[in-house]
């Protein structure tokens, strides 16, 4: 596990964008896994910059998003589908046929989840999975207690996550109560992981993830077992780590 601590959100965006862009340069037909949330937004802005100003093409890239609220149509402003298109895909030259987001309004949700898994397999697996982390250590919508071997499925959200995500809705009672999410096993199958975290609100989750025992109660701890996990965090998110020698560790991209 490579743990890289950078100064702040701006440095994380710069560095995270460079890592993802390097992956696409190295392999133009990369399969990328994307998260939503506020943490990766700067990385997405950086990718848009690289596309616009350095001419990097994403036309051969295949993408899979981690999760989606159950019940929100793709047009809903708070759907993760809408988030990804408005914040990233609309500004790149992606091929819409290669972009995959879970469908929260599928009639047969279970069948959809199995199909989504098969699409990932058919694409050759995910080369680089970018991840955020919930304050309670969740990955995607794999809440505490999720099986560490789980595959894409529907999961109920915890009260904590509903509360944390209520800021995006008018009222907390508008936040959907469940979501489709890639499983922990699905995420672990990716060839490389890039886990991002910023801010002191993530410091406890990051400490548990990097220095705690591996447990389903903190799903992100599973990254300790991944052979190519890169954890990119800012100083505030790293502030509770005991092993401060993580500071400044970097690898060329
Ligand atoms: C949601 C998403 C996660 C994301 C988390 C953190 O719960 N399902 O994939 O990592 O939010 O979001 P933020 O980056 O806004 O803190």
């Amino acid at each position: 596990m490579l743990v890289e601590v950078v100064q702040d959100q701006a440095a994380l965006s710069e560095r995270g964008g460079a890592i993802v862009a390097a992956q696409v340069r190295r392999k133009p037909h990369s399969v990328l896994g994307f998260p939503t949330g506020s943490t990766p937004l700067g990385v997405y802005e950086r990718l848009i910059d690289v596309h616009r100003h350095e001419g990097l093409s994403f036309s051969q890239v295949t993408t899979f998003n981690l999760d989606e609220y159950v019940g929100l149509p793709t047009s809903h402003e708070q759907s993760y589908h809408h988030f990804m298109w408005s914040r990233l895909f609309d500004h790149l030259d992606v091929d819409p046929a290669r972009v995959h987001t879970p469908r929260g309004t599928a009639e047969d949700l279970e069948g959809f989840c199995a199909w989504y898994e098969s699409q990932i397999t058919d694409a050759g697996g995910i080369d680089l999975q970018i991840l955020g982390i919930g304050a309670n250590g969740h990955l995607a919508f794999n809440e505490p207690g999720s099986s560490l071997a789980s595959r894409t499925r529907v999961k109920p959200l915890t009260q904590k996550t509903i509360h944390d995500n209520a800021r995006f809705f008018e009222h907390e009672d508008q936040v959907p109560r469940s979501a489709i999410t890639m499983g922990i096993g699905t995420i672990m199958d990716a060839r490389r992981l890039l886990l991002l975290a910023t801010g002191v609100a993530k410091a406890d989750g990051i400490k548990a993830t990097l220095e705690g025992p591996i447990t389903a109660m903190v799903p992100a701890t599973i990254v300790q077992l991944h052979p190519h996990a890169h954890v990119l965090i800012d100083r505030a998110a790293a502030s509770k780590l005991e092993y401060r020698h993580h500071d400044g560790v970097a690898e060329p991209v």
Side-chain angles (χ1 to χ4, degrees), residues 112-212:
F112 179 87
C113 293
W115 178 83
Y116 201 68
E117 284 276 336
S118 72
Q119 292 296 293
I120 297 173
T121 306
D122 290 354
I126 294 172
D127 290 305
L128 175 61
Q129 175 66 59
I130 306 151
L131 296 165
I133 181 173
N136 62 4
H138 73 231
L139 284 185
F141 272 132
N142 295 284
E143 296 279 28
S146 293
S147 160
L148 296 178
S150 51
R151 312 303 304 187
T152 303
R153 69 217 183 291
V154 174
K155 285 290 288 181
L157 307 186
T158 60
Q159 205 51 49
K160 162 95 179 118
T161 298
I162 291 168
H163 180 71
D164 285 352
N165 291 0
R167 65 189 193 277
F168 300 113
F169 294 81
E170 269 176 40
H171 300 292
E172 189 161 320
D173 57 14
Q174 291 174 346
V175 183
R177 268 33 191 175
S178 60
I180 296 179
T181 180
M182 274 190 207
I184 300 285
T186 321
I187 292 167
M188 287 294 283
D189 282 350
R191 286 184 269 281
R192 288 171 67 208
L193 301 181
L194 176 63
L195 174 64
L196 309 172
T198 58
V200 74
K202 301 291 173 69
D204 284 323
I206 285 296
K207 178 169 171 54
T209 296
L210 302 187
E211 297 180 349

Side-chain angles (χ1 to χ4, degrees), residues 2-244:
L2 170 68
V3 180
E4 183 179 352
V5 182
V6 295
Q7 188 62 33
D8 52 18
Q9 168 93 45
L12 178 135
S13 301
E14 184 67 29
R15 176 79 171 133
I19 291 167
V20 180
Q23 169 70 38
V24 176
R25 268 193 208 98
R26 223 176 8 246
K27 183 176 174 187
H29 57 285
S30 287
V31 180
L32 302 178
F34 283 116
T36 54
S38 45
T39 311
L41 276 177
V43 171
Y44 296 165
E45 282 165 17
R46 181 73 196 118
L47 292 178
I48 294 165
D49 270 1
V50 172
H51 169 63
R52 283 195 186 142
H53 304 300
E54 297 172 32
L56 182 66
S57 174
F58 289 77
S59 62
Q60 294 180 62
V61 162
T62 298
T63 75
F64 289 93
N65 257 80
L66 280 172
D67 48 9
E68 178 62 280
Y69 290 116
V70 166
L72 294 194
T74 54
S75 57
H76 192 288
E77 280 208 351
Q78 294 309 329
S79 76
Y80 286 173
H81 176 96
H82 183 269
F83 176 100
M84 287 307 298
W85 277 94
S86 61
R87 299 306 196 119
L88 184 63
F89 300 140
D90 271 336
H91 311 283
L92 303 176
D93 60 343
V94 290
D95 173 356
R98 292 175 188 264
V99 172
H100 304 84
T101 57
R103 200 48 53 99
T105 51
E107 257 175 48
D108 171 10
L109 287 168
E110 209 177 303
F112 179 87
C113 293
W115 178 83
Y116 201 68
E117 284 276 336
S118 72
Q119 292 296 293
I120 297 173
T121 306
D122 290 354
I126 294 172
D127 290 305
L128 175 61
Q129 175 66 59
I130 306 151
L131 296 165
I133 181 173
N136 62 4
H138 73 231
L139 284 185
F141 272 132
N142 295 284
E143 296 279 28
S146 293
S147 160
L148 296 178
S150 51
R151 312 303 304 187
T152 303
R153 69 217 183 291
V154 174
K155 285 290 288 181
L157 307 186
T158 60
Q159 205 51 49
K160 162 95 179 118
T161 298
I162 291 168
H163 180 71
D164 285 352
N165 291 0
R167 65 189 193 277
F168 300 113
F169 294 81
E170 269 176 40
H171 300 292
E172 189 161 320
D173 57 14
Q174 291 174 346
V175 183
R177 268 33 191 175
S178 60
I180 296 179
T181 180
M182 274 190 207
I184 300 285
T186 321
I187 292 167
M188 287 294 283
D189 282 350
R191 286 184 269 281
R192 288 171 67 208
L193 301 181
L194 176 63
L195 174 64
L196 309 172
T198 58
V200 74
K202 301 291 173 69
D204 284 323
I206 285 296
K207 178 169 171 54
T209 296
L210 302 187
E211 297 180 349
I214 296 170
T215 167
M217 292 314 289
V218 184
T221 55
I222 197 69
V223 301
Q224 294 176 28
L225 287 181
H226 196 282
H228 300 289
H230 186 157
V231 179
L232 178 61
I233 53 183
D234 72 357
R235 284 188 176 272
S239 58
K240 294 193 175 162
L241 290 178
E242 212 167 297
Y243 296 100
R244 299 310 305 266

